[in-house]
């Protein structure tokens, strides 16, 4: 079968294609027409969506393409089901794009898989297997499963996941290229891995539950970012902690009014079983803090409030460390990924009060009330070092699209993997 080529042009399409047409076709493929010689990534994305609608088996990018133009095309052209292949333009960016695209495909596939196929144990194992393929003997890992979580004191992951017949899991993975088991840990990545979120007894509507296979998007994103950093040749010791569970209803599920006592002594009243992500992340953040790493990044599809604030275009960035926040935003800017800072101050830790515990896990009102994303971040701040130094919390509002847009296909986006990988390389 002849290859389908896609090229860029800064000339207008021929008259038969219509005024201001962004796309025209030739005997061998298509031409994307750009208004000027700026990157025009949005126009490329829209053209890529139209080309994807042709259900092509693959395309070859020909002619002059900038790296970010090719990446914009790939983000938009790669559909969730049976994605077409992409042959990159023949320039110096090919190898880099291939590395980044492999991480994107892994991340998207993990998020787009059905909740039946992706149990908590399966999520943890697939993440570990992929990273071992990339890092070989530099990667070791352990998994704490089911009742062993409760025995070890990881009460958040255990209680959120105990309502399911498929046990919850904490994955602790160590990428150590130094060969020295005593080498300091340079960074820890923590991911929310809720493989399906019914809301528990605070049950979601059917429509609200439909896309909840994506609630492990944080785990997928940090795994994809670490895999990308490994293929880029990073020489830092990095740990990955995935907090994996299904939030389901049963006679063994956790309930509203329960009080959980965490390993650091913090007691938490459950006032909303659908505010479960912060409960599992608390365990991961305590484990990360125990390593003494100077950088901790957690990522989660955590709050609807972040989506209200940012739409599905940006990831929210929270930190009480001005330096860490600035470096995270700089890494995102360098990678052309949209991250945006949202407020987090020490008082946010007190915004979910409880008469029965040190804090509640939310506020007993729809969506957790005003400032819900900041209040969730404030809850998490109880489980890192007191001043939050070196800690960055990412609320991944742009991780998933429940329906296609003119620029993006339905499903997982994998946005953020490049910025997090760069942060791992550059943080100081």
């Amino acid at each position: 079968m002849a290859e389908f080529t896609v090229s860029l042009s800064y000339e207008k399409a021929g008259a038969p294609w219509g005024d201001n047409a962004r796309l025209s076709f030739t005997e061998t493929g298509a031409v994307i027409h750009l208004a000027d010689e700026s990157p025009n990534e949005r126009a490329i994305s829209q053209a890529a969506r139209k080309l994807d609608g042709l259900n092509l088996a693959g395309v070859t990018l020909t002619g002059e393409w900038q790296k970010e133009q090719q990446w914009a095309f790939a983000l938009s052209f790669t559909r969730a089901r049976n994605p077409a292949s992409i042959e990159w333009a023949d320039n110096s960016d090919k190898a880099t794009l291939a590395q980044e695209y492999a991480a994107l495909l892994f991340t998207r596939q993990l998020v787009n898989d059905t909740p039946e196929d992706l149990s908590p144990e399966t999520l943890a194992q697939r993440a570990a297997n992929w990273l071992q393929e990339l890092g070989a003997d530099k990667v070791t890992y352990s998994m704490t499963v089911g009742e062993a979580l409760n025995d070890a004191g990881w009460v958040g992951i255990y209680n959120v996941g105990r309502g399911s017949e498929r046990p919850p899991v904490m994955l602790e993975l160590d990428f150590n290229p130094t060969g020295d088991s005593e080498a300091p840990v340079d960074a820890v990545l923590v991911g929310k891995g809720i493989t399906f979120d019914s809301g528990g007894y605070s049950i979601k509507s059917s429509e609200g539950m439909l896309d909840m296979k994506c609630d492990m998007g944080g785990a997928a994103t940090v795994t994809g970012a670490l895999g990308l950093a490994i293929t880029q040749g990073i020489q830092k010791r990095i740990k990955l902690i995935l907090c994996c569970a299904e939030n389901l209803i049963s006679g063994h599920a956790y309930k509203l009014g329960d009080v959980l006592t965490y390993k650091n002594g913090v007691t938490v009243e459950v006032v909303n079983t659908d505010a479960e992500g912060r409960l599992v992340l608390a365990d991961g953040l305590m484990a990360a803090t125990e390593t003494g790493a100077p950088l901790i990044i957690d990522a989660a599809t955590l709050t609807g409030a972040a989506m209200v604030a940012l739409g599905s275009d940006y990831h929210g960035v929270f930190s009480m460390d001005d330096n860490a926040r600035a470096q995270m935003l700089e890494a995102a800017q360098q990678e052309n990924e949209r991250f945006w800072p949202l407020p987090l101050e020490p008082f946010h830790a007190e915004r979910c009060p409880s008469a029965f515990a040190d804090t509640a896990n939310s506020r007993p009102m729809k969506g957790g009330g005003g400032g819900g994303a900041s209040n969730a971040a404030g809850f998490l701040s109880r489980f890192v070092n007191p001043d939050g130094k070196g800690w960055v919390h990412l609320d991944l509002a742009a991780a998933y699209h429940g329906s296609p847009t003119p620029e993006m296909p339905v499903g997982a986006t994998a946005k953020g993997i490049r910025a997090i990988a760069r942060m791992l390389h550059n943080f100081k």
Side-chain angles (χ1 to χ4, degrees), residues 159-183:
N159 279 280
V160 169
R162 68 186 172 96
S164 172
E165 293 180 0
R166 303 197 288 185
V169 182
M170 176 189 274
L171 171 69
E172 296 180 83
L173 182 141
D174 185 4
F175 171 68
N176 186 3
T178 70
D180 176 6
S181 62
E182 300 300 317

mmCIF file with all atom_site columns, all heavy atoms in Angstrom, residues 159-183:
data_model
loop_
_atom_site.group_PDB
_atom_site.id
_atom_site.type_symbol
_atom_site.label_atom_id
_atom_site.label_alt_id
_atom_site.label_comp_id
_atom_site.label_asym_id
_atom_site.label_entity_id
_atom_site.label_seq_id
_atom_site.pdbx_PDB_ins_code
_atom_site.Cartn_x
_atom_site.Cartn_y
_atom_site.Cartn_z
_atom_site.occupancy
_atom_site.B_iso_or_equiv
_atom_site.pdbx_formal_charge
_atom_site.auth_seq_id
_atom_site.auth_comp_id
_atom_site.auth_asym_id
_atom_site.auth_atom_id
_atom_site.pdbx_PDB_model_num
ATOM 1   N N   . ASN A 1 159 ? -8.230  1.068   52.897 1.00 0.00 ? 159 ASN A N   1
ATOM 2   C CA  . ASN A 1 159 ? -9.649  1.310   53.128 1.00 0.00 ? 159 ASN A CA  1
ATOM 3   C C   . ASN A 1 159 ? -10.390 1.697   51.865 1.00 0.00 ? 159 ASN A C   1
ATOM 4   O O   . ASN A 1 159 ? -11.525 1.263   51.658 1.00 0.00 ? 159 ASN A O   1
ATOM 5   C CB  . ASN A 1 159 ? -9.826  2.371   54.217 1.00 0.00 ? 159 ASN A CB  1
ATOM 6   C CG  . ASN A 1 159 ? -9.678  1.787   55.604 1.00 0.00 ? 159 ASN A CG  1
ATOM 7   O OD1 . ASN A 1 159 ? -10.603 1.186   56.125 1.00 0.00 ? 159 ASN A OD1 1
ATOM 8   N ND2 . ASN A 1 159 ? -8.497  1.928   56.182 1.00 0.00 ? 159 ASN A ND2 1
ATOM 9   N N   . VAL A 1 160 ? -9.774  2.486   51.009 1.00 0.00 ? 160 VAL A N   1
ATOM 10  C CA  . VAL A 1 160 ? -10.441 2.831   49.748 1.00 0.00 ? 160 VAL A CA  1
ATOM 11  C C   . VAL A 1 160 ? -10.664 1.584   48.905 1.00 0.00 ? 160 VAL A C   1
ATOM 12  O O   . VAL A 1 160 ? -11.712 1.412   48.274 1.00 0.00 ? 160 VAL A O   1
ATOM 13  C CB  . VAL A 1 160 ? -9.615  3.875   48.964 1.00 0.00 ? 160 VAL A CB  1
ATOM 14  C CG1 . VAL A 1 160 ? -10.163 4.033   47.548 1.00 0.00 ? 160 VAL A CG1 1
ATOM 15  C CG2 . VAL A 1 160 ? -9.629  5.214   49.681 1.00 0.00 ? 160 VAL A CG2 1
ATOM 16  N N   . GLY A 1 161 ? -9.706  0.659   48.918 1.00 0.00 ? 161 GLY A N   1
ATOM 17  C CA  . GLY A 1 161 ? -9.788  -0.507  48.048 1.00 0.00 ? 161 GLY A CA  1
ATOM 18  C C   . GLY A 1 161 ? -10.440 -1.726  48.626 1.00 0.00 ? 161 GLY A C   1
ATOM 19  O O   . GLY A 1 161 ? -10.694 -2.696  47.897 1.00 0.00 ? 161 GLY A O   1
ATOM 20  N N   . ARG A 1 162 ? -10.784 -1.723  49.916 1.00 0.00 ? 162 ARG A N   1
ATOM 21  C CA  . ARG A 1 162 ? -11.253 -2.971  50.520 1.00 0.00 ? 162 ARG A CA  1
ATOM 22  C C   . ARG A 1 162 ? -12.670 -3.348  50.130 1.00 0.00 ? 162 ARG A C   1
ATOM 23  O O   . ARG A 1 162 ? -13.102 -4.477  50.367 1.00 0.00 ? 162 ARG A O   1
ATOM 24  C CB  . ARG A 1 162 ? -11.105 -2.900  52.040 1.00 0.00 ? 162 ARG A CB  1
ATOM 25  C CG  . ARG A 1 162 ? -12.009 -1.906  52.759 1.00 0.00 ? 162 ARG A CG  1
ATOM 26  C CD  . ARG A 1 162 ? -11.612 -1.859  54.237 1.00 0.00 ? 162 ARG A CD  1
ATOM 27  N NE  . ARG A 1 162 ? -12.273 -0.824  54.998 1.00 0.00 ? 162 ARG A NE  1
ATOM 28  C CZ  . ARG A 1 162 ? -13.364 -1.001  55.733 1.00 0.00 ? 162 ARG A CZ  1
ATOM 29  N NH1 . ARG A 1 162 ? -13.943 -2.181  55.793 1.00 0.00 ? 162 ARG A NH1 1
ATOM 30  N NH2 . ARG A 1 162 ? -13.879 0.013   56.408 1.00 0.00 ? 162 ARG A NH2 1
ATOM 31  N N   . GLY A 1 163 ? -13.408 -2.443  49.491 1.00 0.00 ? 163 GLY A N   1
ATOM 32  C CA  . GLY A 1 163 ? -14.742 -2.789  49.042 1.00 0.00 ? 163 GLY A CA  1
ATOM 33  C C   . GLY A 1 163 ? -14.759 -3.647  47.790 1.00 0.00 ? 163 GLY A C   1
ATOM 34  O O   . GLY A 1 163 ? -15.785 -4.223  47.433 1.00 0.00 ? 163 GLY A O   1
ATOM 35  N N   . SER A 1 164 ? -13.632 -3.765  47.117 1.00 0.00 ? 164 SER A N   1
ATOM 36  C CA  . SER A 1 164 ? -13.545 -4.556  45.890 1.00 0.00 ? 164 SER A CA  1
ATOM 37  C C   . SER A 1 164 ? -13.038 -5.960  46.189 1.00 0.00 ? 164 SER A C   1
ATOM 38  O O   . SER A 1 164 ? -12.256 -6.176  47.116 1.00 0.00 ? 164 SER A O   1
ATOM 39  C CB  . SER A 1 164 ? -12.589 -3.878  44.901 1.00 0.00 ? 164 SER A CB  1
ATOM 40  O OG  . SER A 1 164 ? -12.341 -4.706  43.783 1.00 0.00 ? 164 SER A OG  1
ATOM 41  N N   . GLU A 1 165 ? -13.463 -6.918  45.361 1.00 0.00 ? 165 GLU A N   1
ATOM 42  C CA  . GLU A 1 165 ? -12.916 -8.268  45.453 1.00 0.00 ? 165 GLU A CA  1
ATOM 43  C C   . GLU A 1 165 ? -11.477 -8.314  44.949 1.00 0.00 ? 165 GLU A C   1
ATOM 44  O O   . GLU A 1 165 ? -10.748 -9.245  45.257 1.00 0.00 ? 165 GLU A O   1
ATOM 45  C CB  . GLU A 1 165 ? -13.771 -9.241  44.634 1.00 0.00 ? 165 GLU A CB  1
ATOM 46  C CG  . GLU A 1 165 ? -15.172 -9.435  45.191 1.00 0.00 ? 165 GLU A CG  1
ATOM 47  C CD  . GLU A 1 165 ? -15.983 -10.405 44.370 1.00 0.00 ? 165 GLU A CD  1
ATOM 48  O OE1 . GLU A 1 165 ? -15.451 -10.934 43.354 1.00 0.00 ? 165 GLU A OE1 1
ATOM 49  O OE2 . GLU A 1 165 ? -17.146 -10.666 44.733 1.00 0.00 ? 165 GLU A OE2 1
ATOM 50  N N   . ARG A 1 166 ? -11.078 -7.319  44.175 1.00 0.00 ? 166 ARG A N   1
ATOM 51  C CA  . ARG A 1 166 ? -9.709  -7.261  43.652 1.00 0.00 ? 166 ARG A CA  1
ATOM 52  C C   . ARG A 1 166 ? -8.907  -6.343  44.557 1.00 0.00 ? 166 ARG A C   1
ATOM 53  O O   . ARG A 1 166 ? -9.232  -5.161  44.687 1.00 0.00 ? 166 ARG A O   1
ATOM 54  C CB  . ARG A 1 166 ? -9.719  -6.783  42.196 1.00 0.00 ? 166 ARG A CB  1
ATOM 55  C CG  . ARG A 1 166 ? -10.596 -7.685  41.321 1.00 0.00 ? 166 ARG A CG  1
ATOM 56  C CD  . ARG A 1 166 ? -10.320 -7.522  39.855 1.00 0.00 ? 166 ARG A CD  1
ATOM 57  N NE  . ARG A 1 166 ? -10.786 -6.276  39.313 1.00 0.00 ? 166 ARG A NE  1
ATOM 58  C CZ  . ARG A 1 166 ? -10.732 -5.969  38.009 1.00 0.00 ? 166 ARG A CZ  1
ATOM 59  N NH1 . ARG A 1 166 ? -10.237 -6.839  37.144 1.00 0.00 ? 166 ARG A NH1 1
ATOM 60  N NH2 . ARG A 1 166 ? -11.173 -4.802  37.575 1.00 0.00 ? 166 ARG A NH2 1
ATOM 61  N N   . PRO A 1 167 ? -7.879  -6.841  45.194 1.00 0.00 ? 167 PRO A N   1
ATOM 62  C CA  . PRO A 1 167 ? -7.248  -6.124  46.294 1.00 0.00 ? 167 PRO A CA  1
ATOM 63  C C   . PRO A 1 167 ? -6.502  -4.869  45.859 1.00 0.00 ? 167 PRO A C   1
ATOM 64  O O   . PRO A 1 167 ? -5.983  -4.787  44.745 1.00 0.00 ? 167 PRO A O   1
ATOM 65  C CB  . PRO A 1 167 ? -6.270  -7.150  46.869 1.00 0.00 ? 167 PRO A CB  1
ATOM 66  C CG  . PRO A 1 167 ? -5.961  -8.068  45.727 1.00 0.00 ? 167 PRO A CG  1
ATOM 67  C CD  . PRO A 1 167 ? -7.247  -8.155  44.949 1.00 0.00 ? 167 PRO A CD  1
ATOM 68  N N   . PRO A 1 168 ? -6.413  -3.895  46.757 1.00 0.00 ? 168 PRO A N   1
ATOM 69  C CA  . PRO A 1 168 ? -5.606  -2.694  46.506 1.00 0.00 ? 168 PRO A CA  1
ATOM 70  C C   . PRO A 1 168 ? -4.121  -3.022  46.602 1.00 0.00 ? 168 PRO A C   1
ATOM 71  O O   . PRO A 1 168 ? -3.719  -4.025  47.199 1.00 0.00 ? 168 PRO A O   1
ATOM 72  C CB  . PRO A 1 168 ? -6.043  -1.731  47.604 1.00 0.00 ? 168 PRO A CB  1
ATOM 73  C CG  . PRO A 1 168 ? -6.487  -2.631  48.726 1.00 0.00 ? 168 PRO A CG  1
ATOM 74  C CD  . PRO A 1 168 ? -7.090  -3.842  48.061 1.00 0.00 ? 168 PRO A CD  1
ATOM 75  N N   . VAL A 1 169 ? -3.301  -2.140  46.020 1.00 0.00 ? 169 VAL A N   1
ATOM 76  C CA  . VAL A 1 169 ? -1.859  -2.394  45.918 1.00 0.00 ? 169 VAL A CA  1
ATOM 77  C C   . VAL A 1 169 ? -1.092  -1.081  46.072 1.00 0.00 ? 169 VAL A C   1
ATOM 78  O O   . VAL A 1 169 ? -1.514  -0.050  45.543 1.00 0.00 ? 169 VAL A O   1
ATOM 79  C CB  . VAL A 1 169 ? -1.500  -2.993  44.533 1.00 0.00 ? 169 VAL A CB  1
ATOM 80  C CG1 . VAL A 1 169 ? 0.000   -3.295  44.455 1.00 0.00 ? 169 VAL A CG1 1
ATOM 81  C CG2 . VAL A 1 169 ? -2.304  -4.226  44.237 1.00 0.00 ? 169 VAL A CG2 1
ATOM 82  N N   . MET A 1 170 ? 0.042   -1.146  46.755 1.00 0.00 ? 170 MET A N   1
ATOM 83  C CA  . MET A 1 170 ? 1.027   -0.066  46.674 1.00 0.00 ? 170 MET A CA  1
ATOM 84  C C   . MET A 1 170 ? 2.256   -0.620  45.965 1.00 0.00 ? 170 MET A C   1
ATOM 85  O O   . MET A 1 170 ? 2.856   -1.595  46.407 1.00 0.00 ? 170 MET A O   1
ATOM 86  C CB  . MET A 1 170 ? 1.431   0.472   48.046 1.00 0.00 ? 170 MET A CB  1
ATOM 87  C CG  . MET A 1 170 ? 2.529   1.543   47.959 1.00 0.00 ? 170 MET A CG  1
ATOM 88  S SD  . MET A 1 170 ? 3.231   2.021   49.561 1.00 0.00 ? 170 MET A SD  1
ATOM 89  C CE  . MET A 1 170 ? 2.074   3.290   50.051 1.00 0.00 ? 170 MET A CE  1
ATOM 90  N N   . LEU A 1 171 ? 2.604   -0.008  44.826 1.00 0.00 ? 171 LEU A N   1
ATOM 91  C CA  . LEU A 1 171 ? 3.835   -0.342  44.111 1.00 0.00 ? 171 LEU A CA  1
ATOM 92  C C   . LEU A 1 171 ? 4.925   0.613   44.552 1.00 0.00 ? 171 LEU A C   1
ATOM 93  O O   . LEU A 1 171 ? 4.737   1.836   44.526 1.00 0.00 ? 171 LEU A O   1
ATOM 94  C CB  . LEU A 1 171 ? 3.625   -0.224  42.602 1.00 0.00 ? 171 LEU A CB  1
ATOM 95  C CG  . LEU A 1 171 ? 4.898   -0.327  41.743 1.00 0.00 ? 171 LEU A CG  1
ATOM 96  C CD1 . LEU A 1 171 ? 5.465   -1.741  41.769 1.00 0.00 ? 171 LEU A CD1 1
ATOM 97  C CD2 . LEU A 1 171 ? 4.641   0.134   40.318 1.00 0.00 ? 171 LEU A CD2 1
ATOM 98  N N   . GLU A 1 172 ? 6.065   0.084   44.963 1.00 0.00 ? 172 GLU A N   1
ATOM 99  C CA  . GLU A 1 172 ? 7.243   0.888   45.262 1.00 0.00 ? 172 GLU A CA  1
ATOM 100 C C   . GLU A 1 172 ? 8.367   0.427   44.337 1.00 0.00 ? 172 GLU A C   1
ATOM 101 O O   . GLU A 1 172 ? 8.852   -0.694  44.462 1.00 0.00 ? 172 GLU A O   1
ATOM 102 C CB  . GLU A 1 172 ? 7.644   0.727   46.728 1.00 0.00 ? 172 GLU A CB  1
ATOM 103 C CG  . GLU A 1 172 ? 6.585   1.255   47.690 1.00 0.00 ? 172 GLU A CG  1
ATOM 104 C CD  . GLU A 1 172 ? 6.967   1.109   49.149 1.00 0.00 ? 172 GLU A CD  1
ATOM 105 O OE1 . GLU A 1 172 ? 7.707   1.979   49.651 1.00 0.00 ? 172 GLU A OE1 1
ATOM 106 O OE2 . GLU A 1 172 ? 6.549   0.123   49.771 1.00 0.00 ? 172 GLU A OE2 1
ATOM 107 N N   . LEU A 1 173 ? 8.733   1.291   43.403 1.00 0.00 ? 173 LEU A N   1
ATOM 108 C CA  . LEU A 1 173 ? 9.718   0.951   42.378 1.00 0.00 ? 173 LEU A CA  1
ATOM 109 C C   . LEU A 1 173 ? 10.922  1.879   42.510 1.00 0.00 ? 173 LEU A C   1
ATOM 110 O O   . LEU A 1 173 ? 10.770  3.072   42.776 1.00 0.00 ? 173 LEU A O   1
ATOM 111 C CB  . LEU A 1 173 ? 9.079   1.070   40.997 1.00 0.00 ? 173 LEU A CB  1
ATOM 112 C CG  . LEU A 1 173 ? 9.940   0.701   39.786 1.00 0.00 ? 173 LEU A CG  1
ATOM 113 C CD1 . LEU A 1 173 ? 9.106   -0.044  38.740 1.00 0.00 ? 173 LEU A CD1 1
ATOM 114 C CD2 . LEU A 1 173 ? 10.564  1.950   39.155 1.00 0.00 ? 173 LEU A CD2 1
ATOM 115 N N   . ASP A 1 174 ? 12.088  1.312   42.293 1.00 0.00 ? 174 ASP A N   1
ATOM 116 C CA  . ASP A 1 174 ? 13.345  2.041   42.475 1.00 0.00 ? 174 ASP A CA  1
ATOM 117 C C   . ASP A 1 174 ? 14.160  1.958   41.188 1.00 0.00 ? 174 ASP A C   1
ATOM 118 O O   . ASP A 1 174 ? 14.576  0.871   40.780 1.00 0.00 ? 174 ASP A O   1
ATOM 119 C CB  . ASP A 1 174 ? 14.123  1.416   43.636 1.00 0.00 ? 174 ASP A CB  1
ATOM 120 C CG  . ASP A 1 174 ? 15.405  2.179   43.984 1.00 0.00 ? 174 ASP A CG  1
ATOM 121 O OD1 . ASP A 1 174 ? 15.658  3.237   43.383 1.00 0.00 ? 174 ASP A OD1 1
ATOM 122 O OD2 . ASP A 1 174 ? 16.153  1.690   44.856 1.00 0.00 ? 174 ASP A OD2 1
ATOM 123 N N   . PHE A 1 175 ? 14.349  3.099   40.522 1.00 0.00 ? 175 PHE A N   1
ATOM 124 C CA  . PHE A 1 175 ? 15.268  3.175   39.387 1.00 0.00 ? 175 PHE A CA  1
ATOM 125 C C   . PHE A 1 175 ? 16.573  3.745   39.917 1.00 0.00 ? 175 PHE A C   1
ATOM 126 O O   . PHE A 1 175 ? 16.648  4.913   40.314 1.00 0.00 ? 175 PHE A O   1
ATOM 127 C CB  . PHE A 1 175 ? 14.707  4.071   38.278 1.00 0.00 ? 175 PHE A CB  1
ATOM 128 C CG  . PHE A 1 175 ? 15.705  4.362   37.187 1.00 0.00 ? 175 PHE A CG  1
ATOM 129 C CD1 . PHE A 1 175 ? 16.135  3.358   36.331 1.00 0.00 ? 175 PHE A CD1 1
ATOM 130 C CD2 . PHE A 1 175 ? 16.233  5.635   37.030 1.00 0.00 ? 175 PHE A CD2 1
ATOM 131 C CE1 . PHE A 1 175 ? 17.077  3.621   35.339 1.00 0.00 ? 175 PHE A CE1 1
ATOM 132 C CE2 . PHE A 1 175 ? 17.160  5.909   36.037 1.00 0.00 ? 175 PHE A CE2 1
ATOM 133 C CZ  . PHE A 1 175 ? 17.584  4.887   35.193 1.00 0.00 ? 175 PHE A CZ  1
ATOM 134 N N   . ASN A 1 176 ? 17.602  2.916   39.947 1.00 0.00 ? 176 ASN A N   1
ATOM 135 C CA  . ASN A 1 176 ? 18.867  3.305   40.563 1.00 0.00 ? 176 ASN A CA  1
ATOM 136 C C   . ASN A 1 176 ? 20.021  3.029   39.607 1.00 0.00 ? 176 ASN A C   1
ATOM 137 O O   . ASN A 1 176 ? 20.638  1.957   39.642 1.00 0.00 ? 176 ASN A O   1
ATOM 138 C CB  . ASN A 1 176 ? 19.066  2.556   41.877 1.00 0.00 ? 176 ASN A CB  1
ATOM 139 C CG  . ASN A 1 176 ? 20.287  3.024   42.642 1.00 0.00 ? 176 ASN A CG  1
ATOM 140 O OD1 . ASN A 1 176 ? 20.967  3.960   42.217 1.00 0.00 ? 176 ASN A OD1 1
ATOM 141 N ND2 . ASN A 1 176 ? 20.576  2.380   43.760 1.00 0.00 ? 176 ASN A ND2 1
ATOM 142 N N   . PRO A 1 177 ? 20.342  3.982   38.738 1.00 0.00 ? 177 PRO A N   1
ATOM 143 C CA  . PRO A 1 177 ? 21.428  3.771   37.772 1.00 0.00 ? 177 PRO A CA  1
ATOM 144 C C   . PRO A 1 177 ? 22.819  3.855   38.392 1.00 0.00 ? 177 PRO A C   1
ATOM 145 O O   . PRO A 1 177 ? 23.809  3.556   37.719 1.00 0.00 ? 177 PRO A O   1
ATOM 146 C CB  . PRO A 1 177 ? 21.209  4.891   36.758 1.00 0.00 ? 177 PRO A CB  1
ATOM 147 C CG  . PRO A 1 177 ? 20.572  5.988   37.548 1.00 0.00 ? 177 PRO A CG  1
ATOM 148 C CD  . PRO A 1 177 ? 19.710  5.297   38.573 1.00 0.00 ? 177 PRO A CD  1
ATOM 149 N N   . THR A 1 178 ? 22.898  4.230   39.684 1.00 0.00 ? 178 THR A N   1
ATOM 150 C CA  . THR A 1 178 ? 24.212  4.394   40.311 1.00 0.00 ? 178 THR A CA  1
ATOM 151 C C   . THR A 1 178 ? 24.863  3.054   40.645 1.00 0.00 ? 178 THR A C   1
ATOM 152 O O   . THR A 1 178 ? 26.091  2.971   40.772 1.00 0.00 ? 178 THR A O   1
ATOM 153 C CB  . THR A 1 178 ? 24.102  5.209   41.606 1.00 0.00 ? 178 THR A CB  1
ATOM 154 O OG1 . THR A 1 178 ? 23.431  4.422   42.615 1.00 0.00 ? 178 THR A OG1 1
ATOM 155 C CG2 . THR A 1 178 ? 23.326  6.500   41.376 1.00 0.00 ? 178 THR A CG2 1
ATOM 156 N N   . GLY A 1 179 ? 24.066  2.022   40.830 1.00 0.00 ? 179 GLY A N   1
ATOM 157 C CA  . GLY A 1 179 ? 24.607  0.738   41.272 1.00 0.00 ? 179 GLY A CA  1
ATOM 158 C C   . GLY A 1 179 ? 24.915  0.699   42.748 1.00 0.00 ? 179 GLY A C   1
ATOM 159 O O   . GLY A 1 179 ? 25.369  -0.328  43.265 1.00 0.00 ? 179 GLY A O   1
ATOM 160 N N   . ASP A 1 180 ? 24.663  1.785   43.463 1.00 0.00 ? 180 ASP A N   1
ATOM 161 C CA  . ASP A 1 180 ? 24.959  1.878   44.890 1.00 0.00 ? 180 ASP A CA  1
ATOM 162 C C   . ASP A 1 180 ? 23.634  1.873   45.656 1.00 0.00 ? 180 ASP A C   1
ATOM 163 O O   . ASP A 1 180 ? 22.847  2.811   45.554 1.00 0.00 ? 180 ASP A O   1
ATOM 164 C CB  . ASP A 1 180 ? 25.737  3.169   45.167 1.00 0.00 ? 180 ASP A CB  1
ATOM 165 C CG  . ASP A 1 180 ? 26.013  3.388   46.651 1.00 0.00 ? 180 ASP A CG  1
ATOM 166 O OD1 . ASP A 1 180 ? 25.714  2.494   47.453 1.00 0.00 ? 180 ASP A OD1 1
ATOM 167 O OD2 . ASP A 1 180 ? 26.526  4.483   46.979 1.00 0.00 ? 180 ASP A OD2 1
ATOM 168 N N   . SER A 1 181 ? 23.417  0.820   46.433 1.00 0.00 ? 181 SER A N   1
ATOM 169 C CA  . SER A 1 181 ? 22.154  0.713   47.160 1.00 0.00 ? 181 SER A CA  1
ATOM 170 C C   . SER A 1 181 ? 22.013  1.784   48.237 1.00 0.00 ? 181 SER A C   1
ATOM 171 O O   . SER A 1 181 ? 20.905  2.026   48.734 1.00 0.00 ? 181 SER A O   1
ATOM 172 C CB  . SER A 1 181 ? 22.033  -0.669  47.798 1.00 0.00 ? 181 SER A CB  1
ATOM 173 O OG  . SER A 1 181 ? 23.089  -0.878  48.739 1.00 0.00 ? 181 SER A OG  1
ATOM 174 N N   . GLU A 1 182 ? 23.128  2.418   48.596 1.00 0.00 ? 182 GLU A N   1
ATOM 175 C CA  . GLU A 1 182 ? 23.086  3.475   49.604 1.00 0.00 ? 182 GLU A CA  1
ATOM 176 C C   . GLU A 1 182 ? 23.025  4.874   48.988 1.00 0.00 ? 182 GLU A C   1
ATOM 177 O O   . GLU A 1 182 ? 23.071  5.873   49.711 1.00 0.00 ? 182 GLU A O   1
ATOM 178 C CB  . GLU A 1 182 ? 24.329  3.385   50.500 1.00 0.00 ? 182 GLU A CB  1
ATOM 179 C CG  . GLU A 1 182 ? 24.455  2.064   51.250 1.00 0.00 ? 182 GLU A CG  1
ATOM 180 C CD  . GLU A 1 182 ? 23.265  1.807   52.153 1.00 0.00 ? 182 GLU A CD  1
ATOM 181 O OE1 . GLU A 1 182 ? 22.828  2.758   52.839 1.00 0.00 ? 182 GLU A OE1 1
ATOM 182 O OE2 . GLU A 1 182 ? 22.761  0.668   52.161 1.00 0.00 ? 182 GLU A OE2 1
ATOM 183 N N   . ALA A 1 183 ? 22.947  4.947   47.674 1.00 0.00 ? 183 ALA A N   1
ATOM 184 C CA  . ALA A 1 183 ? 22.899  6.257   47.010 1.00 0.00 ? 183 ALA A CA  1
ATOM 185 C C   . ALA A 1 183 ? 21.653  7.022   47.433 1.00 0.00 ? 183 ALA A C   1
ATOM 186 O O   . ALA A 1 183 ? 20.581  6.427   47.617 1.00 0.00 ? 183 ALA A O   1
ATOM 187 C CB  . ALA A 1 183 ? 22.911  6.072   45.495 1.00 0.00 ? 183 ALA A CB  1
#
